Amino acid sequence: MAKFWLISVAALVCSGAALTLTLEAQGAADSATVPNFAPDDSTGWVPARPEGDEFLPPQSGPGPVAAEQGHPYVPNAQGQPTYLIADLSNPVLKPWVIERLRKANDEVRAGNVPFIPHERCWPGGVPGFEVYTRVRPIYFLQTPKKVTIIDELDHQVRHIYMNVPHSKNLKPSWYGESVGHYEGDELVIDTIGLNDKTFVDNYQTPHTDQIHVIERFKLADGGKTLQATVSVEDPGAFTTPWNAIQRYRRFEQTVAGSSVANLPMLATPEDGPLIEAICAENPNSLMGLEALPVPQTVKPDF
């Protein structure tokens, strides 16, 4: 039985109901400043640039793994596509992480297709969720007690429990435990309890179960842009904490008139609410490629 359940819109909201936003005072936060990430059922957010499946660096200080000099990343529909090859000189990387990335680089140089979570129906984890896809939107459902974030691709779902402390003695899981609160016009999400089965990015940068991630979501440009500032700390994998940025634009503004509009198999160019986009397992053929299988379990987890 598949370990990861496909979650439909009907499982999250009543049939035909809009994904509406309920805003109330959140602790000390002023309800007038709480950001509204979902003013209607058609508002989703997609990465604001073609290379949206990799992080942007911070303005200063240690940052995420980037492409190796001389091997720039070119995504689909932007020219001759290339796969990601990591810059191993990033000083935040511990030696064992460098060796893992070196092996991933060697696989690409040998002409093999690298592992990409969404292509094998694997969860993205945190902070990998921010770079899980380039063209599928994410949607927010905000209520006073919980914020739910849904990636349309494979319906990856995160649950952020508001204004509560972390649980004790957490069992590591794919998305860990996320708690949140509002600080003025920012949604702040604190995540721990992650297992070590995911990567922090699409370069296949590994982490340990000591990883601690803080995300800050904030609207900009009059509500046309959503910025996520990500802070990562993992003493088992990185020499120092580091920061990264992801920027999104509203789904209807980004997709219409862009190169994505010419790729209907990847994204729907029309405005609209969350649609079903199942990551279907194909147990019969991997097109002759050696690839990690879709994760499965032999017993139910309920």
Tab-separated table of all heavy atoms in Angstrom, residues 278-298:
chain	number	residue	atom	x	y	z
A	278	ILE	N	-2.144	14.341	-9.815
A	278	ILE	CA	-1.623	13.170	-9.123
A	278	ILE	C	-0.271	12.772	-9.694
A	278	ILE	O	-0.073	12.753	-10.903
A	278	ILE	CB	-2.610	11.991	-9.255
A	278	ILE	CG1	-3.940	12.321	-8.565
A	278	ILE	CG2	-2.026	10.717	-8.677
A	278	ILE	CD1	-5.021	11.299	-8.802
A	279	CYS	N	0.636	12.461	-8.817
A	279	CYS	CA	1.917	11.892	-9.229
A	279	CYS	C	1.728	10.381	-9.294
A	279	CYS	O	1.772	9.690	-8.282
A	279	CYS	CB	3.020	12.262	-8.237
A	279	CYS	SG	4.668	11.720	-8.738
A	280	ALA	N	1.478	9.873	-10.479
A	280	ALA	CA	1.103	8.474	-10.618
A	280	ALA	C	2.334	7.585	-10.692
A	280	ALA	O	3.270	7.844	-11.441
A	280	ALA	CB	0.252	8.287	-11.878
A	281	GLU	N	2.315	6.520	-9.912
A	281	GLU	CA	3.397	5.534	-9.951
A	281	GLU	C	3.325	4.725	-11.236
A	281	GLU	O	2.256	4.292	-11.657
A	281	GLU	CB	3.289	4.610	-8.746
A	281	GLU	CG	4.334	3.508	-8.739
A	281	GLU	CD	4.118	2.542	-7.596
A	281	GLU	OE1	3.174	2.746	-6.820
A	281	GLU	OE2	4.884	1.585	-7.507
A	282	ASN	N	4.475	4.499	-11.850
A	282	ASN	CA	4.558	3.622	-13.011
A	282	ASN	C	5.505	2.478	-12.659
A	282	ASN	O	6.729	2.627	-12.745
A	282	ASN	CB	5.079	4.385	-14.227
A	282	ASN	CG	5.196	3.495	-15.463
A	282	ASN	OD1	4.939	2.295	-15.403
A	282	ASN	ND2	5.573	4.094	-16.581
A	283	PRO	N	4.984	1.328	-12.229
A	283	PRO	CA	5.850	0.232	-11.798
A	283	PRO	C	6.438	-0.578	-12.938
A	283	PRO	O	7.239	-1.485	-12.719
A	283	PRO	CB	4.898	-0.630	-10.956
A	283	PRO	CG	3.577	-0.449	-11.630
A	283	PRO	CD	3.561	0.992	-12.093
A	284	ASN	N	6.055	-0.265	-14.183
A	284	ASN	CA	6.439	-1.108	-15.308
A	284	ASN	C	7.638	-0.587	-16.086
A	284	ASN	O	8.388	-1.369	-16.666
A	284	ASN	CB	5.248	-1.257	-16.263
A	284	ASN	CG	4.047	-1.875	-15.574
A	284	ASN	OD1	4.179	-2.871	-14.876
A	284	ASN	ND2	2.884	-1.274	-15.762
A	285	SER	N	7.820	0.730	-16.125
A	285	SER	CA	8.888	1.260	-16.958
A	285	SER	C	9.422	2.549	-16.383
A	285	SER	O	8.667	3.440	-16.001
A	285	SER	CB	8.378	1.517	-18.381
A	285	SER	OG	9.361	2.177	-19.148
A	286	LEU	N	10.741	2.640	-16.316
A	286	LEU	CA	11.400	3.892	-15.959
A	286	LEU	C	12.201	4.394	-17.158
A	286	LEU	O	13.218	5.047	-17.020
A	286	LEU	CB	12.319	3.681	-14.752
A	286	LEU	CG	11.615	3.310	-13.450
A	286	LEU	CD1	12.630	2.983	-12.369
A	286	LEU	CD2	10.698	4.427	-13.002
A	287	MET	N	11.734	4.045	-18.360
A	287	MET	CA	12.367	4.465	-19.615
A	287	MET	C	13.824	4.015	-19.681
A	287	MET	O	14.689	4.689	-20.223
A	287	MET	CB	12.254	5.983	-19.797
A	287	MET	CG	10.821	6.478	-19.896
A	287	MET	SD	10.691	8.255	-20.139
A	287	MET	CE	11.205	8.825	-18.517
A	288	GLY	N	14.084	2.857	-19.091
A	288	GLY	CA	15.427	2.323	-19.141
A	288	GLY	C	16.399	2.985	-18.188
A	288	GLY	O	17.603	2.724	-18.256
A	289	LEU	N	15.901	3.824	-17.308
A	289	LEU	CA	16.772	4.561	-16.395
A	289	LEU	C	16.810	3.880	-15.032
A	289	LEU	O	15.835	3.295	-14.592
A	289	LEU	CB	16.272	5.996	-16.231
A	289	LEU	CG	16.148	6.825	-17.502
A	289	LEU	CD1	15.496	8.164	-17.177
A	289	LEU	CD2	17.501	7.040	-18.148
A	290	GLU	N	17.956	3.986	-14.385
A	290	GLU	CA	18.047	3.541	-13.010
A	290	GLU	C	17.595	4.697	-12.126
A	290	GLU	O	18.172	5.775	-12.148
A	290	GLU	CB	19.488	3.155	-12.665
A	290	GLU	CG	19.986	1.920	-13.398
A	290	GLU	CD	21.370	1.513	-12.933
A	290	GLU	OE1	21.883	2.155	-11.994
A	290	GLU	OE2	21.936	0.577	-13.523
A	291	ALA	N	16.547	4.467	-11.368
A	291	ALA	CA	15.987	5.544	-10.558
A	291	ALA	C	15.479	4.978	-9.250
A	291	ALA	O	15.087	3.804	-9.171
A	291	ALA	CB	14.842	6.259	-11.295
A	292	LEU	N	15.490	5.818	-8.228
A	292	LEU	CA	14.942	5.387	-6.954
A	292	LEU	C	13.453	5.108	-7.105
A	292	LEU	O	12.737	5.869	-7.761
A	292	LEU	CB	15.155	6.465	-5.893
A	292	LEU	CG	16.586	6.648	-5.399
A	292	LEU	CD1	16.657	7.819	-4.430
A	292	LEU	CD2	17.100	5.390	-4.726
A	293	PRO	N	12.950	4.030	-6.521
A	293	PRO	CA	11.534	3.707	-6.668
A	293	PRO	C	10.650	4.639	-5.851
A	293	PRO	O	11.113	5.338	-4.960
A	293	PRO	CB	11.456	2.270	-6.133
A	293	PRO	CG	12.559	2.212	-5.113
A	293	PRO	CD	13.674	3.052	-5.687
A	294	VAL	N	9.381	4.608	-6.174
A	294	VAL	CA	8.409	5.318	-5.365
A	294	VAL	C	8.410	4.710	-3.968
A	294	VAL	O	8.350	3.486	-3.826
A	294	VAL	CB	7.007	5.222	-5.989
A	294	VAL	CG1	5.967	5.871	-5.090
A	294	VAL	CG2	6.993	5.869	-7.362
A	295	PRO	N	8.510	5.502	-2.912
A	295	PRO	CA	8.560	4.932	-1.561
A	295	PRO	C	7.268	4.222	-1.212
A	295	PRO	O	6.170	4.710	-1.480
A	295	PRO	CB	8.793	6.152	-0.665
A	295	PRO	CG	8.308	7.304	-1.470
A	295	PRO	CD	8.581	6.963	-2.899
A	296	GLN	N	7.389	3.056	-0.613
A	296	GLN	CA	6.240	2.253	-0.222
A	296	GLN	C	6.463	1.657	1.149
A	296	GLN	O	7.570	1.661	1.672
A	296	GLN	CB	5.999	1.124	-1.240
A	296	GLN	CG	5.605	1.606	-2.626
A	296	GLN	CD	5.346	0.443	-3.552
A	296	GLN	OE1	5.779	-0.687	-3.319
A	296	GLN	NE2	4.617	0.695	-4.627
A	297	THR	N	5.397	1.145	1.726
A	297	THR	CA	5.488	0.449	2.994
A	297	THR	C	4.684	-0.835	2.921
A	297	THR	O	3.790	-0.966	2.068
A	297	THR	CB	4.977	1.329	4.151
A	297	THR	OG1	5.219	0.664	5.394
A	297	THR	CG2	3.489	1.619	4.020
A	298	VAL	N	5.013	-1.787	3.782
A	298	VAL	CA	4.330	-3.077	3.732
A	298	VAL	C	3.180	-3.159	4.711
A	298	VAL	O	2.445	-4.139	4.735
A	298	VAL	CB	5.323	-4.219	4.011
A	298	VAL	CG1	6.376	-4.280	2.923
A	298	VAL	CG2	5.985	-4.049	5.367
